[in-house]
Amino acid sequence: MSGLLERLGVELPVVQAGMGGGLSLAKLAAAVSDAGGLGTIGFVAPDRLRAEVSAARERTTRPIAANLLLPFTRGPHWDAASTADVVVTFWGRPRRRTDRPWLHQVGSLEEARAAVAAGADGLIAQGVEAGGHVRGTVPALDLLARLRRELPEGFPVLLAGGIADAGDVARALDAGADAAVLGTRFVLSEEANAALAYKQRLMESRETVLTELFGMGWPARHRVIWNEAAERWLDRDGRQPRWLSAAQWASGPLVGRLPMGASARLAASQTPARPFFGPFAPTADGPSNLLDAGALYAGESVARLHDIRPAGDLVRDLARAA
Ligand SMILES: Cc1cc2nc3c(=O)[nH]c(=O)nc-3n(C[C@H](O)[C@H](O)[C@H](O)COP(=O)(O)O)c2cc1C
């Protein structure tokens, strides 16, 4: 495992990905960290982010990470995230605005170079298999090999995408990753704040689609499972009508700048018949329309996941062959 994680006191090479919009909060992050992995609070409004970090600290004395999605990050987000032990960023132009150890998730060699030049302490290499928003265009292990050839020996690189079990974690470590980063597996944990019906859909699903359908306010590729909105508007390859892409790009700057409360209210009015789909996923405390009219994010590993388990058990199990 990387010196970076060891110095922080993370015992096991298992990291739970930050999942925004209220999917990964204190309960999940603390359960992962308490079991010896590194749990991450997902991107939420600054006050809530700060409150979730502090709630996680009440549940565990182990290190906690906070995730920021850079296109939507302002100064107060950095301040709130810096109350965590590690800041993990994704998307957009990487820049250091924290004195905490800083990891940036990348999908290519070019993005890795930009993050290293900006002073990142480590990288997460994201493969195309990943769930959620996807920068990767090649399988995770291929990207890792490219980064390892390019980066100085010992530079921390974690691996994300397609990791479901202990065998996958062991393969990632053998290939030179410092730790494994998992999103989809942890959505299927008891502590994840995803709606139960979303978790149930994941357990039944075998197939994902890479699309831009849920791109109102954030026109970007993401991997989801099929639901009514996706069936209605996408072809089998995940392509949406061209006019919809044009509408997303035209309205992106405006819709993307809405405060989170306003975006959440818009999300609550989404229906499968009206193609105005923002990036929100169904949470346990959110509106139920998002099950058929929102993004059911999942990576390709969903085909191999069929149970909901306590996050601490998952961490111990995933690290068993490490
Ligand atoms: C439900 C879900 C939500 C996600 N949200 C975020 C996010 O808010 N920020 C982020 O950096 N990555 C996010 N990701 C991507 C993860 O960081 C990671 O790349 C991905 O989960 C790895 O692939 P896996 O899902 O196959 O484990 C999300 C992934 C999932 C599955």
Side-chain angles (χ1 to χ4, degrees):
M1 203 168 63
S2 78
L4 176 71
L5 293 180
E6 259 165 25
R7 276 197 302 283
L8 283 165
V10 178
E11 280 167 26
L12 302 175
V14 174
V15 175
Q16 166 249 314
M19 297 179 280
L23 291 173
S24 69
L25 298 172
K27 202 168 160 193
L28 175 58
V32 169
S33 290
D34 209 51
L38 179 63
T40 311
I41 313 279
F43 188 75
V44 282
D47 288 353
R48 189 164 185 209
L49 186 53
R50 199 181 282 272
E52 292 295 330
V53 172
S54 131
R57 297 223 185 276
E58 277 168 26
R59 291 171 176 264
T60 183
T61 54
R62 305 270 176 100
I64 293 286
N67 178 241
L68 296 175
L69 292 168
L70 291 179
F72 310 104
T73 296
R74 310 281 173 267
H77 290 100
W78 280 107
D79 295 342
S82 299
T83 62
D85 302 285
V86 189
V87 179
V88 182
T89 57
F90 189 32
W91 221 272
R93 196 165 58 81
R95 60 191 188 280
R96 175 185 280 286
R97 299 231 353 230
T98 179
D99 55 2
R100 300 288 165 164
W102 167 43
L103 303 174
H104 185 69
Q105 178 161 238
V106 302
S108 66
L109 203 51
E110 293 68 37
E111 289 185 356
R113 285 180 186 140
V116 172
D121 299 302
L123 301 175
I124 300 174
Q126 187 199 47
V128 69
E129 315 89 327
H133 283 80
V134 180
R135 291 302 296 174
T137 57
V138 298
L141 287 169
D142 291 356
L143 179 58
L144 177 66
R146 287 181 203 178
L147 297 191
R148 277 285 169 239
R149 276 196 296 274
E150 166 101 0
L151 293 167
E153 210 183 313
F155 192 86
V157 183
L158 289 61
L159 194 70
I163 300 173
D165 59 26
D168 297 330
V169 173
R171 265 186 294 283
L173 301 181
D174 285 350
D178 289 287
V181 180
L182 301 90
T184 307
R185 175 63 272 190
F186 283 111
V187 178
L188 284 173
S189 67
E190 288 176 4
E191 292 87 348
N193 194 41
L196 183 58
Y198 170 20
K199 295 181 187 179
Q200 277 158 347
R201 296 265 183 106
L202 293 188
M203 284 192 289
E204 290 157 12
S205 290
R206 299 285 171 276
E207 203 191 330
T208 63
V209 59
L210 196 53
T211 181
E212 292 189 3
L213 184 63
F214 301 96
M216 209 53 89
W218 187 9
R221 285 190 321 154
H222 39 262
R223 190 178 288 285
V224 293
I225 56 168
W226 293 92
N227 64 358
E228 201 180 322
E231 297 278 359
R232 187 160 183 152
W233 296 101
L234 297 179
D235 69 16
R236 290 317 291 175
D237 295 323
R239 275 188 298 261
Q240 62 186 15
R242 281 213 191 123
W243 58 263
L244 183 49
S245 302
Q248 288 169 344
W249 281 100
S251 62
L254 191 71
V255 182
R257 254 185 228 116
L258 289 175
M260 244 171 161
S263 314
R265 279 192 296 283
L266 267 181
S269 70
Q270 287 174 199
T271 71
R274 199 157 43 87
F276 186 94
F277 303 121
F280 283 85
T283 55
D285 46 355
S288 59
N289 66 313
L290 291 179
L291 203 58
D292 286 312
L296 302 186
Y297 298 117
E300 288 180 359
S301 69
V302 77
R304 297 185 283 139
L305 299 173
H306 312 296
D307 53 3
I308 300 173
R309 295 179 53 200
D313 288 0
L314 285 175
V315 171
R316 285 180 284 270
D317 199 33
L318 286 160
R320 129 181 134 244

